[in-house]
Amino acid sequence: MELARLRDHLLETGYTIDGVRDRLGDVAASALSREELVPALRATADGDPLGTLIRLWWLGVPVAAERVPAVVRECGLVSADGGGGGMVRADVHLQPWETGGYVVSDRKVRPGDPALRPGHVVGAGGASANLAQLVSRRPVQRALDLGTGCGVQVLHLAGRAEEITATDVNPRAVELARLSWELSGVTGVDARTGSMFEPVEDELFDLVVSNPPFVISPGGRLTYRETGGDGDAFCRDLVRQAPRHLAPGGQAHFLANWLHVEGEDWRDRVGGWLAGTGCDAWVVERDVQDPAEYVELWLRDAAEQGTPGYAEHYDRWLTWFDEQKVEAVGFGWISMRNSGTLDPVVRLERLTHQVALPVGDYVDDVLDAVATAHRVEDLGAARLRTAEGLLDERIGLPGAEDPMRIVLRQTVGLRRSREVGTVEAALAGVCDGDLALGPLLNVIAELVGDGQVLQADALRPLIAEGYFLL
Ligand SMILES: C[S@@+](CC[C@H](N)C(=O)[O-])C[C@H]1O[C@@H](n2cnc3c(N)ncnc32)[C@H](O)[C@@H]1O
């Protein structure tokens, strides 16, 4: 069956992100995020074409066959419901995606459903969107999506990469990803089955993306999220092996989890993964969860709450964390660039505030800033410019001549803020690229007149963080 006809039907019926959102409304959508179906069932009870598609594909409940048009019944993705009564049900989960395309995956499991099969192919979700927004928007020749799953990252890469290769260790994932691409009108993807970088041995890419099976768990039963490797070893190996597959200037963007182990700073742990890769890198920890929160999150993800084995599984997982002296688990992003330098720089930081999205619009600038701040030798001769959108905030006692604190705040990009001295603040007011930094600092020192002398090198952290551009 030609899936293009099905796509036309889905679009004509309004089975799109906006269509589903409008139809469900805020209350039902938010109830669904808590795995509560009842408000969504009420919102789609009319039996009209859009409500029927939402029930079939989004909610995964049986619908009356007579309400389902032939183009859907004959697409090969729905079957007669075993319960009889002229009902049909979807064999897969089929969701509209933010690119305007569609994503096909295995049916969602909800609390009370049979346990997930080990080869379950998970649908696109928050993590998929997180990675997609991080990836550089620079057009590239060759891109690789490692662990393509339902194929969602490829929908984002299409149009930006001339050639796309997608791999997954799970053959069923590759099969469903192909359906996603066909339904979304994406052609020419080179899909391969195999673990890690095996399917692309000896090949180079300008862009590698992966939302890997990063969940850190004992055993690793569910292929879509965990490998049963040694703790966070899968993400470590991904980082260590990626450079061998990056063309000069090529970038890799990964989501990852990492352990916080007693007596070890997470920056040293993840920094250790990057040491020796020869790549510039930027690592951001966006969230940290304690062991119990982490285990609960992933038990909920597999709809295990309320099952007889829940407490035993929870306990076993925590025991395993205890044995490894795990104090917490970090969630974040890792971006790497093969800059071809003998002096790579790695920046690791925790950013938990709201940053401007998508980060992919400016991730190249972030990597540039980190590298420039590290590598420019004679900063005194450099002509800096103050970054766009910078605010100077002063806090002081009423009537006081001098502020107690001066904060430079970015209103765009990573939206950082940093307390600075009067010299840096004055510099931000006059730095337009006309004068070299050394002479400019001398003039400012005279104007400020309080004996403060700032060496040009002291500006490196502010350059690395994008307050000043070079
Ligand atoms: C979290 S899912 C990501 C799916 C999709 N790329 C996304 O962004 O939503 C991780 C994928 O990695 C695959 N995977 C697991 N182990 C792998 C391995 N050793 N090598 C390659 N892929 C693997 C899983 O089958 C799964 O499809």
Side-chain angles (χ1 to χ4, degrees):
M1 152 90 192
E2 199 205 330
L3 289 180
R5 277 185 52 226
L6 176 62
R7 177 177 69 232
D8 290 346
H9 173 75
L10 298 176
L11 289 171
E12 278 159 20
T13 313
Y15 189 61
T16 59
I17 292 262
D18 288 345
V20 174
R21 187 187 298 128
D22 289 352
R23 182 56 186 272
L24 291 182
D26 292 343
V27 172
S30 125
L32 270 183
S33 69
R34 300 187 300 272
E35 299 300 342
E36 296 291 349
L37 238 57
V38 174
L41 288 173
R42 289 165 61 90
T44 53
D46 289 354
D48 63 303
L50 178 57
T52 302
L53 286 184
I54 294 176
R55 284 183 161 225
L56 184 72
W57 298 123
W58 192 282
L59 307 180
V61 297
V63 297
E66 70 202 30
R67 303 249 178 230
V68 180
V71 64
V72 175
R73 277 199 320 270
E74 292 161 13
C75 71
L77 303 176
V78 299
S79 308
D81 184 51
M87 305 292 275
V88 294
R89 54 179 275 155
D91 298 331
V92 293
H93 182 69
L94 192 163
Q95 62 188 117
W97 189 243
E98 52 193 50
T99 54
Y102 289 93
V103 173
V104 180
S105 58
D106 274 326
R107 288 164 52 86
K108 270 179 184 269
V109 290
R110 297 209 157 81
D113 287 346
L116 278 175
R117 285 178 290 114
H120 177 83
V121 178
V122 73
S128 323
N130 255 331
L131 174 63
Q133 68 79 30
L134 170 68
V135 174
S136 165
R137 270 42 185 167
R138 225 172 26 128
V140 293
Q141 181 65 33
R142 299 201 75 207
L144 169 67
D145 174 21
L146 192 152
T148 196
C150 56
V152 57
Q153 300 304 328
V154 166
L155 304 189
H156 289 272
L157 295 173
R160 272 192 254 144
E162 293 292 323
E163 299 163 47
I164 303 175
T165 303
T167 66
D168 204 290
V169 75
N170 180 356
R172 179 164 169 77
V174 173
E175 192 185 312
L176 295 186
R178 285 203 172 99
L179 294 176
S180 302
W181 304 330
E182 193 179 341
L183 254 181
S184 306
V186 174
T187 55
V189 182
D190 179 357
R192 309 183 196 174
T193 307
S195 180
M196 197 65 114
F197 288 99
E198 274 166 22
V200 294
E201 224 183 316
D202 301 330
E203 290 182 50
L204 295 181
F205 298 89
D206 306 297
L207 180 63
V208 176
V209 304
S210 185
N211 169 10
F214 53 67
V215 176
I216 303 170
S217 68
R221 194 181 77 83
L222 298 170
T223 314
Y224 76 84
R225 68 177 201 188
E226 58 207 5
T227 60
D230 177 14
D232 45 18
F234 190 87
C235 290
R236 180 198 65 201
D237 294 346
L238 194 60
V239 164
R240 289 202 174 146
Q241 292 178 29
R244 271 185 258 142
H245 301 277
L246 286 180
Q251 291 189 19
H253 300 282
F254 303 134
L255 296 188
N257 279 189
W258 41 79
L259 292 176
H260 286 226
V261 178
E262 188 185 310
E264 180 188 48
D265 189 314
W266 72 271
R267 292 173 192 79
D268 294 335
R269 184 179 190 85
V270 181
W273 300 354
L274 287 148
T277 61
C279 287
D280 290 334
W282 178 48
V283 179
V284 179
E285 185 168 79
R286 291 291 283 164
D287 191 17
V288 184
Q289 291 194 341
D290 69 41
E293 284 176 300
Y294 189 79
V295 171
E296 285 160 31
L297 171 69
W298 296 111
L299 289 174
R300 261 199 317 277
D301 170 72
E304 286 194 46
Q305 66 271 51
T307 61
Y310 181 83
E312 190 272 329
H313 194 176
Y314 194 154
D315 187 45
R316 190 157 33 91
W317 203 327
L318 284 184
T319 304
W320 185 72
F321 273 157
D322 280 350
E323 285 163 4
Q324 298 178 66
K325 301 199 179 332
V326 172
E327 292 178 330
V329 182
F331 290 67
W333 313 322
I334 301 180
S335 291
M336 306 168 70
R337 179 156 71 188
N338 176 8
S339 306
T341 168
L342 293 174
D343 180 26
V345 55
V346 175
R347 180 182 175 89
L348 301 108
E349 60 185 324
R350 180 171 299 158
L351 291 179
T352 51
H353 62 269
Q354 281 275 331
V355 300
L357 298 179
V359 176
D361 277 352
Y362 56 88
V363 69
D364 292 87
D365 299 336
V366 173
L367 285 163
D368 283 346
V370 170
T372 303
H374 178 70
R375 282 205 270 279
V376 162
E377 280 183 11
D378 185 3
L379 253 192
R383 289 164 195 270
L384 298 191
R385 280 175 298 116
T386 302
E388 299 275 316
L390 207 57
L391 294 182
D392 171 316
E393 295 177 348
R394 289 165 191 251
I395 300 159
L397 294 173
E401 202 173 306
D402 294 322
M404 288 156 66
R405 294 178 62 206
I406 308 175
V407 172
L408 289 183
R409 185 180 300 282
Q410 300 171 347
T411 57
V412 295
L414 289 175
R415 296 182 179 146
R416 299 177 189 275
S417 57
R418 186 184 246 268
E419 188 167 345
V420 294
T422 42
V423 176
E424 293 97 320
L427 187 66
V430 297
C431 206
D432 56 8
D434 269 358
L435 267 186
L437 182 59
L440 202 51
L441 284 174
N442 291 338
V443 174
I444 290 173
E446 271 177 39
L447 288 178
V448 171
D450 58 1
Q452 284 194 54
V453 181
L454 198 66
Q455 298 302 316
D457 278 336
L459 268 301
R460 287 188 195 273
L462 288 165
I463 297 170
E465 294 183 357
Y467 292 90
F468 295 102
L469 312 178
L470 195 79

